[in-house]
Amino acid sequence: MTCRCKSRFNAVFMKNLEWYMKNVYGKHKIELFNRIGGKVLEIGAGTGINLDYYKKVKDLTVIEPSKEMLEYLKDKAVRSDIKLHIIEGVGEKLPFEDNSFDAVVSTLVLCSVKSQSKVLREIKRVLKPGGIFVFIEHVVAPEGSFTYSVQNILQPAWKWLFEGCDIKRDTASVIRRYFPDAYIKNVRFKSPFIPVNYHIVGYGIKKDHSA
Ligand SMILES: C[S@@+](CC[C@H](N)C(=O)[O-])C[C@H]1O[C@@H](n2cnc3c(N)ncnc32)[C@H](O)[C@@H]1O
């Protein structure tokens, strides 16, 4: 039997950090989530922290690989009035038809996926033409900055403890490959979590039928 200790730790950690995440990201989420409606997919939905922000969404599908995170999410879903479909799975292989969602959401997920390219290809594939991909992700700090040095030192341990979370990803470049006209804003949060202070917040629109 494999130990799920780290997954349990991460789920408990994220759950207990929800109040903090709401303080840090809340304002940005309200702005971003205002742009979405209709049929929505959230990848790596974790403990379900974003459920509170889907004010205009009536049909939501979430996909999440961690059983431990899903336990919290399911608990929250009971108290939500959104029509919710919960699926255990990964962003690299989305079990949905092409062109099937009006919006896809990713918050703090592209740091942890095995392949950002595969996930972004899948996001674009399942979005309808004109559909929107909204994201908030922590990213690598500017080279030479204090945070960059801290990221260099902590990267291996962080990745091990937080199940693959890579604090040194240049996620904006990968997003631009799939959403060339994406609006991407750099935001630096002043928080005690120095390795994850630098973020990108934004959205991209799928222009055509191309997968
Ligand atoms: C830092 S947590 C963020 C959770 C939530 N999105 C939030 O904003 O709090 C990262 C999440 O990504 C999930 N994840 C990791 N690898 C993934 C993958 N390949 N596809 C989809 N989700 C993944 C993890 O299980 C975890 O729930």
Side-chain angles (χ1 to χ4, degrees), residues 14 21 29 42-50 63-66 69 89-92 106-115 119 138 163 165:
M14 292 305 287
M21 312 263 274
K29 286 186 179 174
E42 179 175 344
I43 61 162
T47 58
I49 187 170
N50 290 336
I63 185 157
E64 164 58 51
S66 158
M69 295 273 188
V90 293
E92 284 87 345
S106 167
T107 66
L108 313 180
V109 178
L110 293 175
C111 52
S112 296
V113 301
K114 286 215 167 58
S115 166
V119 172
H138 64 76
E163 295 188 296
C165 174

Side-chain angles (χ1 to χ4, degrees), residues 6 31 77 81 96 104 108 122 124 127 165 170 178 193 198 205:
K6 243 197 279 178
E31 267 175 42
D81 54 4
F96 313 110
V104 177
L108 313 180
E122 281 292 86
K124 198 167 172 193
L127 269 179
C165 174
D170 176 12
Y178 294 87
F193 295 98
Y198 285 84
I205 309 282

Side-chain angles (χ1 to χ4, degrees), residues 92-101 119-128 179 206 209-211:
E92 284 87 345
K93 203 166 187 294
L94 296 175
F96 313 110
E97 302 279 309
D98 297 358
N99 308 315
S100 46
F101 291 96
V119 172
L120 281 153
R121 196 176 307 130
E122 281 292 86
I123 289 172
K124 198 167 172 193
R125 181 183 67 74
V126 302
L127 269 179
K128 293 177 187 171
F179 297 89
K206 175 171 167 177
H209 273 86
S210 63

Side-chain angles (χ1 to χ4, degrees), residues 44-55:
T47 58
I49 187 170
N50 290 336
L51 291 184
D52 291 342
Y53 296 95
Y54 289 107
K55 301 288 181 214

